[in-house]
Amino acid sequence: MWRLKKPFAIYIFLLLLLVPVNAFAEEFRVESGRSIQSAVEDAGNGDTILVSPGVYKENVMIDKEITIKGEEGAIIDGGGKGNVIIVTASNVVLEGLTIQNGGTGQEDSGIFIKKAHHNVIKNNTLKNVQNGIYIANSNENKLLGNRIASNESHFSERGNGIHMFKGEGHLLKENEIAKVQDGIYFDFTKGIKLQGNHISESRYGMHFMFSEGILAERNHVEKNVTGLMVMDSARIDFIENKVTDHFHFRGYGILIYETKEVLVEGNEILRNSTGLSLEYGVDTLINRNQIAANQVGLEFMGKNENNTFSKNNFIGNVVQSKISGEDMRLDDGVKGNYWDDYSSFDLSGDGVGEEAYKAGSLYDRLLRKQPYWQFFFESPSIKLWTKAEALFPSFGSADVYDARPLIEPVIMLQETEQLSKDRGIPGIIGILFILFSILVIVKGRKLR
Amino acid sequence: MIKKLGVLLIMSAAVISGCNNSTMEPEEINPEIDVCEVCNMGLAHEHYATEVVTADGEVYKFDDIGCMDEFMEMEAHLKEENASKKYVRDVDTGEWVELEEAFHAYHPDFWTPMANGVVSFKDKESAENYVNEQGMGEVLDYESLENHEWSWEQ
């Protein structure tokens, strides 16, 4: 019995500790037509301000540890100048507000968080603002479920959805970002976690500059110019993201430039101008990705060192790989990747082809120097050339190869269940059909 | 008839010379398609963009003056006199200025697309104004920029 009592006693004790703080915590309500700023001035640390529906035309400065909750239809309108809300205090909660019409200066934002920590920005709608949320020199803020759009101009005139400048430990979860310059911009940041964000119709989905230690999982970036742009950064993990439909003239699914220790695992990289591009990438690990239906599946430029590829599926890319630069091996020594244009055999039956898969034909390399030769793509002469190259592999002297190419595509975990379920139904229909046919034949014979 | 032919001839001559860019003038930036020659980044912040125009009429575009410098290191033959012209833009107006004539404000904390911290201006006065406004940094002319150590060199 005392076992139960003890934690309870501790709980009571903790509650008592909290009482002196909470005893003075108040809840204000701001009615339409009044000012939120003056409510903030009247409030003390720990207070909550409830905002009634209505349009509040003001710029709000928050320098206390308070919570501001908007009821549905509570709109703060910055009137086209400066930041709509500036937060300079820690432990602030902003929830359920619609924030609109900020200034158009380079750093003007819907919400600007300046040297403030442990704030929670949750379920807000930001629209017609230069930058959505700007976090400078701050740590451990949480941005959850916000919807962000910039203004209606060209992306070169807009700001970023979420811009983080110097700081660490933020969590960005399930934000919905569209029509900004760069969806999420990392500028000298570290230790950040991103989960389930959706970014579309912008220049870059996520843009990493001089940042390190970032985990991005189960995000979806689509229909931007480039999905994930990683430059001069380190220790970036991309796990189970969807990177789709980047069909811009200069678009990439994932572009990794001068970056080390990148992990790309279990992602779907589908329908992009170039699926995955590496330029001066070091120590990257690229595992179990679906790289399919891109115009160019894989691209290497310049020098890339110590990169490991294994168990990726390269399926239905118009050009499987485009290579210029240094030699490279595309398998981890045990298992390589599945290439749907691989044409050798598996004689030993271990699921690995007996001959190495050579990436990048001579034609691909010519394309780098003479882009206009694209005109001859799929022409009989180029086909003949490529075939000749495949028959006499030394001819092209491509030095990027997969020594352990897989014969069957790797089946990713999520899909196996669905496949086995779906397979049953056609089987049953087939059996019924055969039975019916036999019946018809037997009946027919009897009638004769 | 001959007159008409003459006009046609002049027009076609103008068209051909227009393609050639023999004057080595800078070219307008199109943020929709132009990317930096060095780092592949789209030129969204147009006023920070720079260009190298060669005597052959080739135009190379960069998102940041630092990238242009890196490019010039790689393409040594463009360093010869008259082989190329280098342009930067006045960050306030977007006006093209030849690198030799431009002034720059430098501080490692000044924002530029590739974080080189060098912001360019058409004259010394604007550069000084910028440094005063920001409350930090220094003004560089062409010569001191030549001796400047870029972040990519470190």
Side-chain angles (χ1 to χ4, degrees):
Chain A
M1 194 62 194
W2 64 274
R3 268 172 189 273
L4 262 175
K5 257 183 194 164
K6 207 174 179 187
F8 192 68
I10 292 171
Y11 180 67
I12 294 280
F13 177 71
L14 281 176
L15 257 185
L16 282 173
L17 268 182
L18 286 171
V19 165
V21 184
N22 278 340
F24 305 104
E26 283 184 69
E27 212 171 81
F28 291 86
R29 175 175 283 278
V30 185
E31 298 294 341
S32 182
R34 307 294 289 272
S35 153
I36 297 171
Q37 183 66 56
S38 58
V40 171
E41 273 151 33
D42 293 340
N45 285 344
D47 289 354
T48 299
I49 296 172
L50 288 173
V51 183
S52 302
V55 181
Y56 300 81
K57 289 212 163 192
E58 57 185 323
N59 299 72
V60 182
M61 161 98 178
I62 300 167
D63 51 5
K64 296 172 187 165
E65 302 187 4
I66 54 170
T67 296
I68 300 185
K69 266 189 198 167
E71 288 173 358
E72 212 182 317
I75 299 169
I76 306 180
D77 187 313
K81 57 179 197 295
N83 300 298
V84 184
I85 297 179
I86 302 181
V87 179
T88 57
S90 298
N91 305 314
V92 170
V93 179
L94 296 179
E95 194 180 337
L97 296 159
T98 296
I99 294 157
Q100 62 185 32
N101 300 337
T104 53
Q106 197 173 316
E107 289 189 358
D108 284 346
S109 311
I111 300 171
F112 198 112
I113 299 173
K114 220 183 223 170
K115 290 187 186 158
H117 320 294
H118 313 287
N119 298 299
V120 179
I121 313 293
K122 196 174 163 187
N123 298 340
N124 300 287
T125 302
L126 296 103
K127 54 187 183 189
N128 202 20
V129 286
Q130 186 72 11
N131 297 282
I133 303 171
Y134 203 109
I135 312 174
N137 306 90
S138 304
N139 302 327
E140 292 175 39
N141 292 288
K142 287 185 180 149
L143 312 183
L144 316 169
N146 299 289
R147 290 165 300 277
I148 302 172
S150 189
N151 45 44
E152 278 300 317
S153 55
H154 188 262
F155 66 67
S156 65
E157 313 269 305
R158 298 178 194 147
N160 303 317
I162 296 169
H163 189 114
M164 286 172 277
F165 176 70
K166 287 188 181 164
E168 54 186 293
H170 304 307
L171 170 68
L172 278 60
K173 210 170 163 181
E174 283 156 25
N175 296 288
E176 185 76 30
I177 303 171
K179 294 182 178 169
V180 293
Q181 185 169 86
D182 297 345
I184 302 174
Y185 196 117
F186 302 79
D187 206 0
F188 299 96
T189 54
K190 54 184 171 182
I192 290 166
K193 227 180 188 182
L194 304 142
Q195 291 169 327
N197 299 285
H198 179 216
I199 302 160
S200 60
E201 293 167 81
S202 303
R203 181 178 68 146
Y204 302 150
M206 296 180 193
H207 190 176
F208 303 79
M209 299 286 284
F210 319 106
S211 292
E212 55 179 311
I214 292 166
L215 166 67
E217 54 183 0
R218 294 188 302 280
N219 300 284
H220 187 189
V221 288
E222 59 170 342
K223 299 181 186 122
N224 307 287
V225 171
T226 286
L228 306 171
M229 184 87 167
V230 191
M231 304 180 97
D232 299 272
S233 294
R235 293 190 291 112
I236 312 285
D237 296 352
F238 294 120
I239 296 173
E240 290 172 23
N241 299 286
K242 284 185 183 171
V243 182
T244 59
D245 300 287
H246 299 98
F247 267 132
H248 190 270
F249 175 54
R250 308 264 199 183
Y252 294 86
I254 303 178
L255 175 59
I256 295 169
Y257 176 80
E258 282 189 7
T259 291
K260 18 180 207 189
E261 293 177 60
V262 181
L263 171 67
V264 182
E265 194 168 77
N267 299 282
E268 289 178 22
I269 305 168
L270 315 176
R271 300 182 300 275
N272 304 288
S273 289
T274 298
L276 174 63
S277 175
L278 283 182
E279 190 173 355
Y280 305 101
V282 181
D283 296 330
T284 52
L285 201 60
I286 294 162
N287 274 335
R288 301 183 69 88
N289 299 288
Q290 292 276 15
I291 303 178
N294 302 287
Q295 281 171 15
V296 176
L298 186 61
E299 181 187 72
F300 295 127
M301 300 209 290
K303 197 174 173 161
N304 293 292
E305 286 173 274
N306 195 20
N307 300 293
T308 310
F309 285 77
S310 83
K311 295 181 226 151
N312 300 289
N313 290 334
F314 289 90
I315 299 171
N317 299 301
V318 177
V319 174
Q320 202 77 287
S321 56
K322 203 166 168 181
I323 315 276
S324 70
E326 310 265 316
D327 301 359
M328 203 163 148
R329 207 172 148 172
L330 294 172
D331 59 280
D332 62 3
V334 183
K335 277 198 168 162
N337 309 280
Y338 175 74
W339 309 84
D340 68 350
D341 58 339
Y342 178 66
S343 54
S344 191
F345 306 99
D346 175 22
L347 298 175
S348 57
D350 59 353
V352 174
E354 302 319 324
E355 205 181 291
Y357 173 85
K358 292 218 163 194
S361 66
L362 196 58
Y363 170 63
D364 295 346
R365 260 168 295 144
L366 277 171
L367 270 185
R368 274 296 296 172
K369 285 188 182 141
Q370 303 289 343
Y372 306 109
W373 284 43
Q374 180 83 44
F375 184 73
F376 300 106
F377 177 71
E378 293 281 284
S379 69
S381 54
I382 293 294
K383 282 213 154 167
L384 192 66
W385 190 348
T386 314
K387 198 73 209 165
E389 211 188 336
L391 290 172
F392 307 99
S394 59
F395 183 69
S397 70
D399 297 317
V400 176
Y401 64 96
D402 183 344
R404 314 280 298 164
L406 305 177
I407 292 299
E408 294 262 336
V410 179
I411 292 170
M412 309 293 168
L413 264 177
Q414 312 94 291
E415 281 164 336
T416 41
E417 290 167 38
Q418 230 172 2
L419 272 178
S420 53
K421 256 184 220 160
D422 289 346
R423 258 180 208 159
I425 298 159
I428 291 165
I429 292 172
I431 290 166
L432 286 175
F433 196 75
I434 290 167
L435 287 176
F436 181 69
S437 310
I438 292 170
L439 191 80
V440 168
I441 291 166
V442 170
K443 279 260 173 193
R445 282 205 177 141
K446 272 188 182 163
L447 278 176
R448 219 166 31 164
Chain B
M1 181 66 188
I2 290 191
K3 243 187 196 173
K4 270 190 187 166
L5 264 178
V7 170
L8 212 71
L9 208 76
I10 290 167
M11 269 167 66
S12 53
V15 167
I16 290 164
S17 63
C19 296
N20 246 336
N21 197 1
S22 55
T23 48
M24 294 168 78
E25 287 293 315
E27 205 174 83
E28 185 119 14
I29 299 282
N30 181 349
E32 192 63 39
I33 59 168
D34 290 338
V35 295
C36 176
E37 194 71 31
V38 171
C39 74
N40 255 319
M41 203 147 85
L43 304 183
H45 296 276
E46 290 177 60
H47 286 193
Y48 291 89
T50 67
E51 278 181 10
V52 170
V53 186
T54 71
D56 307 336
E58 296 264 13
V59 181
Y60 299 99
K61 298 172 183 173
F62 311 92
D63 64 340
D64 186 306
I65 185 169
C67 280
M68 177 163 75
D69 203 73
E70 198 173 340
F71 176 80
M72 292 305 284
E73 287 298 315
M74 294 189 289
E75 306 285 321
H77 66 280
L78 291 176
K79 278 188 168 174
E80 289 162 34
E81 213 184 339
N82 298 329
S84 67
K85 277 190 182 179
K86 286 170 274 179
Y87 291 95
V88 296
R89 299 184 88 172
D90 182 277
V91 79
D92 297 325
T93 61
E95 217 174 295
W96 289 103
V97 190
E98 262 199 74
L99 184 65
E100 275 93 342
E101 287 150 25
F103 287 84
H104 317 271
Y106 168 70
H107 189 278
D109 285 346
F110 286 168
W111 188 91
T112 74
M114 289 297 285
N116 278 294
V118 175
V119 184
S120 305
F121 297 91
K122 64 175 185 289
D123 50 33
K124 199 174 180 181
E125 203 190 333
S126 330
E128 279 168 351
N129 283 345
Y130 188 80
V131 167
N132 289 338
E133 265 172 40
Q134 301 286 321
M136 56 186 180
E138 54 182 318
V139 173
L140 306 177
D141 61 5
Y142 180 65
E143 260 173 37
S144 41
L145 192 73
E146 289 273 273
N147 302 321
H148 177 73
E149 196 184 344
W150 298 95
S151 55
W152 60 265
E153 289 173 315
Q154 285 160 8

